[in-house]
Amino acid sequence: DAGITQSPRHKVTETGTPVTLRCHQTENHRYMYWYRQDPGHGLRLIHYSYGVKDTDKGEVSDGYSVSRSKTEDFLLTLESATSSQTSVYFCAISEDIRVTDEQFFGPGTRLTVL
Amino acid sequence: AQKITQTQPGMFVQEKEAVTLDCTYDTSDQSYGLFWYKQPSSGEMIFLIYQGSYDEQNATEGRYSLNFQKARKSANLVISASQLGDSAMYFCAMRAFTSGGYQKVTFGIGTKLQVIP
């Protein structure tokens, strides 16, 4: 199994509070991704990173920011959480960005915003 | 725009029989990759199989095969000899790149497969 961990695994927070989710990898892969999974929507890409300090937006980036100061860590921040951001968040990594490259997924973080 | 369609919200299959999970896609890109992932009730995403847009032969991985029909824009997953452990959600996904080099990743909404003893 690819070495990907996510923390926390579960979080309950209140509307308006900031939240940061962490993805940590031990594979030294260049590319990292954040997805959210919601019933009826499958997985949707929030942001991805193609190197240290290099990030780009995905399909549903509004309300989220990311940072990557080290190869192994990719942080997802909800500046002011809303109930619509209640979801399961998955981090993924890939060695390269070719379309052939498999993405390996972390275990997921279940976030509930009350 | 890039789109993945999975029209079967739920499927049942008898143990030891084969089952086909449908996936159609839409893209204007020439180069793209199609993937299938399995998500059991425990929640993790497990890679099953990959098909490249330029691959002429259908991909196979053990009991999994991908029936790729490029002209129809379909990439159906076939599971042979179903096992109880195959009960899970299955997601079809596509990766492609814009002309500007930005990545696009799209997942379908999934199909829930239940294997009956």
Side-chain angles (χ1 to χ4, degrees):
Chain A
D1 292 342
I4 311 170
T5 57
Q6 292 183 232
S7 58
R9 294 292 313 280
H10 302 271
K11 185 171 183 67
V12 180
T13 191
E14 294 187 349
T15 298
T17 60
V19 176
T20 295
L21 308 183
R22 180 184 183 231
C23 176
H24 179 77
Q25 60 145 329
T26 57
E27 305 295 322
N28 201 36
H29 283 1
R30 180 178 175 188
Y31 297 91
M32 299 184 76
Y33 312 80
W34 276 108
Y35 292 89
R36 61 177 288 172
Q37 183 178 24
D38 305 288
H41 290 279
L43 278 81
R44 292 179 290 176
L45 183 65
I46 305 172
H47 282 279
Y48 69 99
S49 169
Y50 46 96
V52 173
K53 297 186 180 178
D54 291 323
T55 64
D56 205 350
K57 296 179 180 180
E59 179 187 358
V60 289
S61 60
D62 287 347
Y64 301 95
S65 62
V66 290
S67 66
R68 191 166 175 203
S69 59
K70 298 185 290 185
T71 299
E72 57 267 33
D73 290 325
F74 192 32
L75 304 181
L76 177 70
T77 297
L78 291 66
E79 300 290 348
S80 178
T82 67
S83 58
S84 65
Q85 293 174 312
T86 292
S87 187
V88 179
Y89 292 86
F90 283 97
C91 174
I93 65 173
S94 65
E95 189 167 5
D96 207 326
I97 205 163
R98 297 166 300 185
V99 292
T100 57
D101 287 322
E102 176 189 347
Q103 291 185 346
F104 299 94
F105 283 81
T109 293
R110 185 173 295 275
L111 176 67
T112 302
V113 184
L114 301 176
Chain B
Q2 189 169 279
K3 187 177 179 180
I4 293 281
T5 302
Q6 294 182 254
T7 58
Q8 306 154 311
M11 292 275 290
F12 290 91
V13 63
Q14 204 77 37
E15 194 177 6
K16 300 181 183 178
E17 292 189 349
V19 63
T20 298
L21 306 184
D22 295 340
C23 173
T24 58
Y25 62 93
D26 191 20
T27 182
S28 56
D29 297 303
Q30 295 303 307
S31 178
Y32 51 88
L34 295 157
F35 300 79
W36 277 92
Y37 286 87
K38 172 184 178 181
Q39 186 178 42
S41 58
S42 52
E44 71 267 33
M45 295 289 287
I46 302 167
F47 166 77
L48 294 178
I49 196 166
Y50 159 81
Q51 179 85 40
S53 58
Y54 293 114
D55 294 340
E56 295 186 351
Q57 292 202 340
N58 288 340
T60 59
E61 289 285 349
R63 294 186 299 111
Y64 304 106
S65 60
L66 199 154
N67 185 1
F68 181 48
Q69 298 188 40
K70 193 170 182 177
R72 288 185 161 188
K73 293 189 173 179
S74 74
N76 298 338
L77 176 70
V78 180
I79 305 174
S80 63
S82 297
Q83 302 172 357
L84 295 178
D86 294 335
S87 294
M89 282 288 285
Y90 289 81
F91 292 95
C92 180
M94 176 168 59
R95 294 175 70 194
F97 293 91
T98 67
S99 57
Y102 298 105
Q103 182 171 183
K104 296 181 295 187
V105 183
T106 306
F107 276 75
I109 63 172
T111 295
K112 185 172 183 178
L113 177 68
Q114 291 183 262
V115 181
I116 304 167

